[in-house]
Amino acid sequence: MEQRRLYHVQNLAFEIMDEMNAGSRLDNSVDLKHVVDHLSRAIGSLADPSGTYSLDYVEEKIAAAHYSVFQNEKKLACLKIKSPAVK
């Protein structure tokens, strides 16, 4: 089950990367500073030298970044986050 959750988080991150590198300019409503902040917090959690991380926290941060870019909650529905990633 955890592998499936990590696979979904990875796909969301790839979609963000693809959209940001697509050459098309993201509209001005996307605050890239917040997107980068959420992604770096997720990576920081995964890179913990002790090897412990909260998958819920990583999912929450990736979902928030994905929502900021795409404004679409449908792809986030399968994540087990407490509240929508509309932060």
Side-chain angles (χ1 to χ4, degrees), residues 42-73:
I43 291 168
S45 179
L46 286 172
D48 183 3
S50 68
T52 60
Y53 63 91
S54 167
L55 186 52
D56 291 336
Y57 179 80
V58 172
E59 283 180 327
E60 179 183 328
K61 293 303 170 188
I62 296 292
H66 193 275
Y67 184 83
S68 295
V69 173
F70 293 100
Q71 300 292 311
N72 182 355
E73 289 188 38

